[in-house]
Amino acid sequence: MTTVPSVVAAVSRTDPAAGTVAVVAPYEGGGPCPRAFAGPDRPAVAVLPEHRLRPPAYRNATLPAGYGDTVVHRGLRQTVKALRALGVSAVVAGGTGGIELAERIAWQLGLPGADPANSPLRYDRGAQADRLARLGIPAPRGIRTARPADAVAWARSHPAAGYLLAPAAAGTPVDAVECADEGGIGAAWPALWHAAARHSGSPHLVLTELPGRRRYTVDTVTRPGPDGRPQHVVTGLRADDPAGPRAPGSPSVPALTGYTIRVLDALGVVCGPATVRLAYRDDDTAGRGPLLICALAAPVMTRAVGVPDLRPPPTVPFIRDRP
């Protein structure tokens, strides 16, 4: 589990006990963020986009509870000015909808953060798969589209044992759907399309070949290392499969964490928390190894209950190999 001090230290140049943390677009209300980041010497500020800038599902959401202050975002210049006056020294996204804005705010405040020019890499399944493919990192084949005909045509030209249809925006509270064939894709498309557009503001879905049945969630936090390069620390690793004995040939912790580090580097994660969801393939035709399902540069994407805990020691950094 990612700890609050590690998250704050990762995105702040100041003492993490004294800085002010801005949580951008906490659309789910109070949630764990204000309780986690707020304290006597570390108040939390909610940055809430005004109604017209929110996805439809959240346009009537009330102001989040539990924060010391709330800044209504109407324009970048005004928001940055207000946060600077509040002494903000760390900026995190409250969820999928806050990642792009959080990175733009951090950039304007001169705080450590990812390049806002490629923000989709930190939450968009399609952008992530494309980047990994270009870098030669194993990832499921797929297509990102808002047109069901394109998805069906892709499936027709890429036969597979099954397909996974999901919102392009990772972390959207809309379940992915497993489809056996082209007919299943067409049947699942309308409801998933509307739900994705409502919760993320984007109608784009991603269709991929069905990844391995074994699924894992990896919690991480990243901060600049002594040499200024990103240092990724795995703070939690858990199986998303139902609890039970591990099957022979289950992936080792180093295999999952090593792949996760490669993914974080490829997606340009340079500081702060991220949650990575992986599948593990073990068939003879495609070979063995982890595959990225999606990644989200926000404190928490999913929580698993009653599943095996595979976490390594939380103080051990998993740093990418250097040439």
Side-chain angles (χ1 to χ4, degrees):
M1 181 70 180
T2 303
T3 63
V4 174
S6 66
V7 171
V8 178
V11 294
S12 175
R13 290 198 180 102
T14 64
D15 180 354
T20 299
V21 181
V23 182
V24 181
Y27 291 132
E28 300 299 331
C33 286
R35 293 191 302 273
F37 291 117
D41 299 316
R42 190 182 58 243
V45 178
V47 178
L48 197 66
E50 64 175 341
H51 296 276
R52 66 181 178 85
L53 300 177
R54 305 181 200 175
Y58 303 111
R59 283 182 185 155
N60 295 320
T62 59
L63 292 176
Y67 291 90
D69 287 284
T70 299
V71 172
V72 177
H73 170 70
R74 297 184 175 87
L76 187 60
R77 180 178 299 180
Q78 299 94 315
T79 298
V80 169
K81 181 179 179 180
L83 295 179
R84 186 175 284 120
L86 291 170
V88 164
S89 61
V91 182
V92 297
T96 305
I99 290 175
E100 292 201 31
L101 180 56
E103 292 182 354
R104 290 165 58 204
I105 290 172
W107 189 275
Q108 291 293 324
L109 287 173
L111 298 174
D115 184 353
N118 55 28
S119 290
L121 291 177
R122 264 76 69 189
Y123 70 89
D124 188 285
R125 296 171 189 255
Q128 292 170 356
D130 287 346
R131 173 59 65 91
L132 265 57
R134 286 199 298 271
L135 295 179
I137 300 174
R141 297 177 302 168
I143 182 174
R144 180 186 189 275
T145 180
R147 291 166 43 87
D150 293 342
V152 170
W154 183 88
R156 188 177 297 121
S157 61
H158 295 80
Y163 303 92
L164 189 68
L165 186 64
T172 302
V174 180
D175 291 335
V177 178
E178 293 189 9
C179 305
D181 50 28
E182 301 166 23
I185 295 169
W189 187 279
L192 195 60
W193 185 90
H194 285 289
R198 177 170 171 76
H199 285 89
S200 70
S202 169
H204 286 82
L205 305 183
V206 170
L207 178 73
T208 65
E209 56 190 357
L210 192 65
R213 291 289 181 182
R214 300 174 192 172
R215 309 287 171 84
Y216 300 86
T217 298
V218 187
D219 295 318
T220 71
V221 66
T222 301
R223 66 179 304 175
D227 60 358
R229 302 175 71 184
Q231 177 176 295
H232 309 296
V233 179
V234 174
T235 60
L237 170 58
R238 57 190 180 271
D240 296 338
D241 306 279
R246 296 180 67 188
S250 292
S252 65
V253 168
L256 295 173
T257 56
Y259 179 84
T260 297
I261 299 316
R262 294 179 68 193
V263 166
L264 293 175
D265 282 336
L267 302 184
V269 176
V270 298
C271 72
T275 306
V276 180
R277 291 207 66 213
L278 304 177
Y280 188 80
R281 61 184 184 187
D282 51 11
D283 59 274
D284 293 331
T285 57
R288 300 175 61 89
L291 292 174
L292 178 68
I293 296 176
C294 58
L296 186 71
V300 177
M301 179 165 61
T302 60
R303 292 184 183 273
V305 179
V307 296
D309 189 352
L310 306 178
R311 288 178 293 177
T315 58
V316 177
F318 292 84
I319 308 174
R320 67 181 183 276
D321 292 335
R322 288 175 170 78

